[in-house]
Amino acid sequence: MSTTTGKAAESAKVQAGPGTAKSPAAGPKGSPRRRKPSLGMQNMAGWLFSTPFLVLFLVFMAVPIIATLVMSFTDFGLRNVTHPLDANFIGFENYTKLFSDEKFLKSLFNTAYFVVIGVPLTIFLGLIVAVLLNNGIDRARTFFRVGFYAPVVTTIVAVAVVWRFVLDPSDGLVAGLFSEVGLTAPDFLGSEKLAMPSMIAMAVWRNVGTVMVLFIAGLQAIPTEVREAARLDGAGIWQEFRGITIPLLRPTMLYATVITTIGYLNVFEEPFVMTQGGPSDSTLTVSLNMYREGFNFFHMGYASAMAYVLFVVIMGITVLQLRLLKDNTK
Amino acid sequence: MSATNAPGAVSTAPSKKPGKSERGTGRKDSGREPRSWKRIFVYVLLSLGLLVMSAPFLWMALSSFKTTSELTASPPVWIPTEWTLDNFRELLDKLDLPLYFMNSVIVAVLVTVSNLVFCSMLGYALAKLKFVGRNKIFGVVLGALMVPGNLMLLPLFVLMSKLQLIDSYAGLVLPFAAGAFGVFLMRQFMQSIPDELLEAARMDGAGEWYIFWRIVMPLVKPALATLSIFTFLGSWNNFVWPLIATNDPDKYTLPVALATFATDPNKAGGSNGMLMAGSFLIVLPVLVVFIALQRHFTQGIATAGMK
């Protein structure tokens, strides 16, 4: 068996010379007798190879996405989990209710707050770390990269539990730092004003690594000649950064911004574990609100409407970001 | 705007000498030699950053070995004076951690294996097979990448209840059995395999399945490694769906068990020390695996990001 593979590989190397270097897509041109049947076979094989994924995709993604939309126009409740078809169609009622629901509006505001402060901070710090790692040092680079990326891979629930204690006003790490300089730490997670900023701090801490890795890849894609040239031309660090690094990193910046924004718009675990949405709903995010309405109170139709509003917001913002940031490059 | 300056700079570069640089301070050493104070400054900055990054982990590790009195001391004790394993003992008494650990492992292994197989298959088809509808399927994959998971939760719960798969491994695994990210990653890697190699095998009479298993899969082992790590960790760290899809504590995965314990409203759950010990036990294997295989992580992220 393996010998045939070897032979196939070898003959490929031999044939891969200039003669066969044409794209096989040009089927009809090169030796039609052999290629044509193989194209028919490929058609079938293509679909056979795609089927398992497509079936799973259809059952566990496509159908649920549509079902959420349908459910959002019904009064789907606990009873309907066993009898889905008994749910009543109520038109846009869930949606109109959403926009007079103070709790929902608050969760929308909280999520926006989280994104508007959290995303720029994450991108900015990730960029700084990447630039420092890429230009400033040559030793221990891996060591630092691993250190900054470590929070990304850790279990968010465990990390959120840890942060709860780090921020504990009496016996937490931060309280310790405050007392070292003779101050009393505020009750970060217990205060309506400070709970969300604390959560943002944690999110930034956790996600800086992802952005950093993206920027490092982006920086390494910038040809060194461009940099050297700028230096020889007398560009200072700042000029080089503004004139070369930033413009050439735009695609990376765009990608990093989009994925960070999408991630933050869906924020769930942090408030679930750290504050359960409190105090006074100050950290209730849309996702947490949806989870509660759906799985604690079983207002599943209402929760579905929430899910769709969030989805539309996410799509809208993503498209907007793609537009805005792309146009800037021109 | 300033982007247009960059290419211009390239062409004028060779004629100038380093001495012209304002920042050169007359050094003519070969290569780039940033002045040492600058380098020290960068190291100091990065070390401070790293300290902030690792502080919560250090706090977690130290706290899990503290006695109750030191855990609740105010102002807090930094380093335990009396190291104790009581937190771990108490935790293992109250929580059946081995069971949750096994649940997490079983689910993560199943999810990983099925992703490796199904995503590679579709990745191969998209990268190397010409067939009608290929572009449409790729469009579906790209679309699936962008849909937030929250959008599916409610009907998935109803579906799993109907299928009586709540509290089963199947219920935990199936929704994650094949992800769009995996397809995307595998397609990227498989595209770099020369078509001639596959054509030659076809000439020799090899079937597509044979080519896929015997030629393509061995060639993309690094990609498979990257995908395994990402999928395994994704499943290990996953929280929302296992939270919804399990009611029976015997089927909890580690994060669900920990969160249930940590957010127990009547606080009968446990002390800070136990929660720190629990977090420590969940995070430690992940960190060890990550440090051992960190190259694959950064590569995977970069590949997905660069397109």
Side-chain angles (χ1 to χ4, degrees), chain A residues 1 5 35 42-43 47 64 68 82 139 142 149 153 155 164-165 170 172-173 179-180 205 228 231 266 287, chain B residues 12 32 43 53 74-76 78 122 130 132 150-151 155 162 199 202 210 237 262 272 276 286 294 301:
Chain A
M1 280 261 180
T5 317
R35 295 265 165 99
Q42 280 197 23
N43 213 344
W47 279 96
T68 306
T82 42
R139 227 169 288 177
T142 311
Y149 193 72
V153 296
T155 313
R164 223 169 74 177
F165 293 115
S170 65
L173 166 66
S179 78
E180 291 286 332
W205 171 83
E228 309 257 285
R231 266 175 222 231
N266 282 305
S287 291
Chain B
T12 54
R32 210 182 295 161
Y43 273 112
M53 297 308 280
S74 177
W78 296 106
L122 182 52
K130 318 275 178 267
V132 183
N150 285 340
L151 204 58
K162 274 282 183 193
E199 279 303 304
R202 277 175 202 136
Y210 182 90
N237 294 340
N272 295 359
M276 286 294 113
V286 173
Q294 54 92 15
I301 294 272

Side-chain angles (χ1 to χ4, degrees), chain A residues 2-229:
Chain A
S2 56
T3 43
T4 31
T5 317
K7 266 182 197 163
E10 248 164 54
S11 63
K13 269 180 204 153
V14 175
Q15 294 187 3
T20 35
K22 279 178 224 154
S23 148
K29 275 189 184 172
S31 62
R33 226 182 269 166
R34 291 256 186 185
R35 295 265 165 99
K36 258 205 175 157
S38 115
L39 269 184
M41 286 288 283
Q42 280 197 23
N43 213 344
M44 207 173 77
W47 279 96
L48 284 176
F49 274 86
S50 312
T51 303
F53 179 92
L54 290 178
V55 169
L56 286 167
F57 170 81
L58 201 71
V59 178
F60 297 108
M61 207 164 171
V63 169
I65 289 170
I66 296 162
T68 306
L69 186 63
V70 176
M71 278 165 76
S72 73
F73 294 107
T74 68
D75 63 353
F76 208 100
L78 181 56
R79 191 176 64 88
N80 303 107
V81 173
T82 42
H83 301 93
L85 298 178
D86 289 355
N88 298 309
F89 183 78
I90 54 168
F92 281 92
E93 206 177 291
N94 285 327
Y95 290 92
T96 48
K97 204 169 119 197
L98 271 181
F99 289 97
S100 53
D101 177 351
E102 263 175 47
K103 210 167 191 176
F104 175 72
L105 294 177
K106 187 151 195 190
S107 70
L108 209 55
F109 172 80
N110 292 337
T111 308
Y113 179 14
F114 189 86
V115 169
V116 167
I117 307 290
V119 173
L121 264 179
T122 311
I123 301 289
F124 177 73
L125 289 174
L127 177 63
I128 299 283
V129 176
V131 169
L132 289 180
L133 276 180
N134 210 46
N135 297 329
I137 64 170
D138 38 37
R139 227 169 288 177
R141 204 177 274 176
T142 311
F143 173 72
F144 283 112
R145 202 174 51 200
V146 167
F148 279 94
Y149 193 72
V152 178
V153 296
T154 48
T155 313
I156 187 156
V157 169
V159 162
V161 168
V162 171
W163 270 76
R164 223 169 74 177
F165 293 115
V166 164
L167 295 172
D168 191 293
S170 65
D171 50 29
L173 166 66
V174 177
L177 291 175
F178 270 71
S179 78
E180 291 286 332
V181 290
L183 295 170
T184 315
D187 185 2
F188 292 99
L189 297 175
S191 139
E192 271 185 61
K193 284 217 175 97
L194 293 177
M196 199 47 126
S198 311
M199 220 157 278
I200 293 173
M202 184 203 150
V204 171
W205 171 83
R206 199 176 132 79
N207 294 293
V208 151
T210 312
V211 175
M212 170 200 75
V213 168
L214 289 172
F215 278 130
I216 288 176
L219 284 167
Q220 282 170 355
I222 297 177
T224 31
E225 302 86 62
V226 177
R227 249 170 222 296
E228 309 257 285

Side-chain angles (χ1 to χ4, degrees), chain B residues 84-262:
Chain B
T84 173
L85 289 173
D86 283 353
N87 295 317
F88 293 95
R89 252 179 240 128
E90 221 182 311
L91 180 77
L92 287 166
D93 269 353
K94 285 209 177 174
L95 275 187
D96 194 351
L97 279 185
L99 173 75
Y100 305 133
F101 188 88
M102 276 318 289
N103 285 343
S104 277
V105 169
I106 290 170
V107 171
V109 166
L110 291 175
V111 166
T112 305
V113 170
S114 71
N115 266 279
L116 286 181
V117 174
F118 298 141
C119 296
S120 305
M121 283 172 68
L122 182 52
Y124 173 62
L126 292 177
K128 289 293 163 206
L129 297 176
K130 318 275 178 267
F131 64 101
V132 183
R134 176 168 86 154
N135 292 336
K136 279 196 183 124
I137 294 179
F138 188 55
V140 164
V141 171
L142 289 184
L145 270 177
M146 288 191 277
V147 179
N150 285 340
L151 204 58
M152 279 96 67
L153 292 177
L154 295 143
L156 266 185
F157 174 74
V158 177
L159 178 69
M160 289 304 180
S161 306
K162 274 282 183 193
L163 296 173
Q164 311 226 305
L165 290 178
I166 296 294
D167 288 326
S168 76
Y169 290 133
L172 288 169
V173 170
L174 280 172
F176 299 95
F181 171 76
V183 176
F184 190 74
L185 194 76
M186 294 319 292
R187 176 182 171 272
Q188 296 302 100
F189 274 89
M190 287 174 176
Q191 269 182 332
S192 64
I193 297 173
D195 281 327
E196 292 78 15
L197 181 64
L198 309 182
E199 279 303 304
R202 277 175 202 136
M203 297 285 195
D204 285 356
E208 292 302 331
W209 187 250
Y210 182 90
I211 295 174
F212 171 69
W213 270 119
R214 295 288 173 143
I215 301 175
V216 173
M217 288 299 256
L219 284 174
V220 293
K221 268 185 192 150
L224 291 171
T226 302
L227 181 58
S228 319
I229 296 165
F230 271 90
T231 320
F232 191 92
L233 267 195
S235 176
W236 185 265
N237 294 340
N238 190 13
F239 177 59
V240 189
W241 178 247
L243 176 71
I244 292 165
T246 53
N247 296 320
D248 175 4
D250 281 353
K251 283 296 187 297
Y252 282 176
T253 57
L254 275 175
V256 179
L258 181 70
T260 313
F261 199 48

